Amino acid sequence: MSAVSDRLPTFPWDRLEPYKKTAAAHPDGIVDLSVGTPVDPVPELIQKALIDAADSPGYPTVWGTPAMRDAITGWLERRLGAREVTHRHVLPVVGSKELVAWLPTQLGLGPGDRVAYPRLAYPTYEVGARLARAAYEVYDDPRDLDPEGLRLLWLNTPSNPTGRVLGKDELTGIVAWARAHGVLLVSDECYLELGWEADPVSVLHPEVNGGSYDGILAVHSLSKRSNLAGYRAAFVAGDPAVLGPLLQIRKHGGMMTSAPTQAAVVAALGDDAHVQEQRERYAARRTALRAALLGHGFRIEHSEASLYLWSTRDEPCWDTVAHLADLGILVAPGDFYGPAGANFVRVALTATDERVAAAVARLR
């Protein structure tokens, strides 16, 4: 076991524990804005679908039910503008983090192969490369990378942690570059429905990919848009030549979404009203927290989408974490996402209205 665990970095969130204790000691309790975990109820129509499918004694299929695949393809066309999406273009996964962590291994990457991801990024991109024993590197613009040996290129738009959105022209150029060099491009788009000052676009859009899914995948999750983090419901869509072998590998590994969860996904993807209601909640929290942070002397960069405010007081991030912990507010230090975040903190919008109001009052 140590041979595998030794490949991995120290789990970053453990370093926050002392600051969490400080924040929890506040007379009015902690306001935890560190982890982007949903706190609002699962919509009733999704709960009902889950309950109605509770009597599911048999094994679910890795590829999902036809109804689930129909729901995914329909959503991709309706929401993302994708065209001519068939069941061969989609694959359910057990939460998007599982896919990110194991995709390099499932693609057969190893020593001598390279994986690249944004300079400020979700730590699991690096973890996935480490698990596969592949080399990994960061970029500002992926088109500046040496394509030799580069097998997997991660995009993340809207970004976690910065909320930055890659525009249509930039995405189109990156897709063309990856194809020209035979690099598989995987776009993590889990926050795509949470654009505030930008309208995020998918690599599955025909104006980005030229009407072809060759060499591209997009990863989507229901955790944030439908409050289903506890359900582990996500999917990947794109090139059937990549997804077909992945499906066979995942069948052997038993990587299947539970049958009740599959039913819940059908309900969730078929309803847009609950997504708009959740967006409105997050928009109100974002407006209140953004104003309070700016009034407290913070500067906010990017953050035009996603569930975070990428904030700085132009000081080491751990000094900011300590300062806010003294106010009973817990945030994530920017260096969790790479050395380039050393002077930033990530402030999540995922707290109840009451806790957000408490944070705003303390910041004032």
Side-chain angles (χ1 to χ4, degrees), residues 109-117 126 129-130 132-137 149-150 152:
L109 273 58
D113 298 321
R114 293 165 49 232
V115 175
Y117 49 86
E126 177 186 333
R130 285 178 177 247
R133 295 190 177 94
Y136 51 91
E137 60 193 275
L150 182 61
L152 174 58

Side-chain angles (χ1 to χ4, degrees), residues 24-110:
H26 190 279
D28 186 38
I30 188 173
V31 179
D32 192 343
L33 307 178
S34 62
V35 182
T37 186
V39 297
D40 299 302
V42 173
E44 287 188 14
L45 84 160
I46 301 175
Q47 292 189 49
K48 183 177 186 303
L50 185 86
I51 293 166
D52 289 347
D55 186 14
S56 298
Y59 289 111
T61 62
V62 172
W63 201 16
T65 62
M68 184 184 189
R69 283 178 260 139
D70 282 342
I72 294 172
T73 57
W75 181 84
L76 291 170
E77 293 188 349
R78 184 180 80 250
R79 179 62 186 86
L80 304 191
R83 295 290 177 265
E84 299 180 2
V85 185
T86 71
H87 288 193
R88 294 173 56 246
H89 293 93
V90 302
L91 179 63
V93 295
V94 191
S96 59
K97 184 172 185 176
E98 169 260 302
L99 179 81
V100 173
W102 291 108
L103 183 61
T105 298
Q106 292 174 4
L107 291 172
L109 273 58

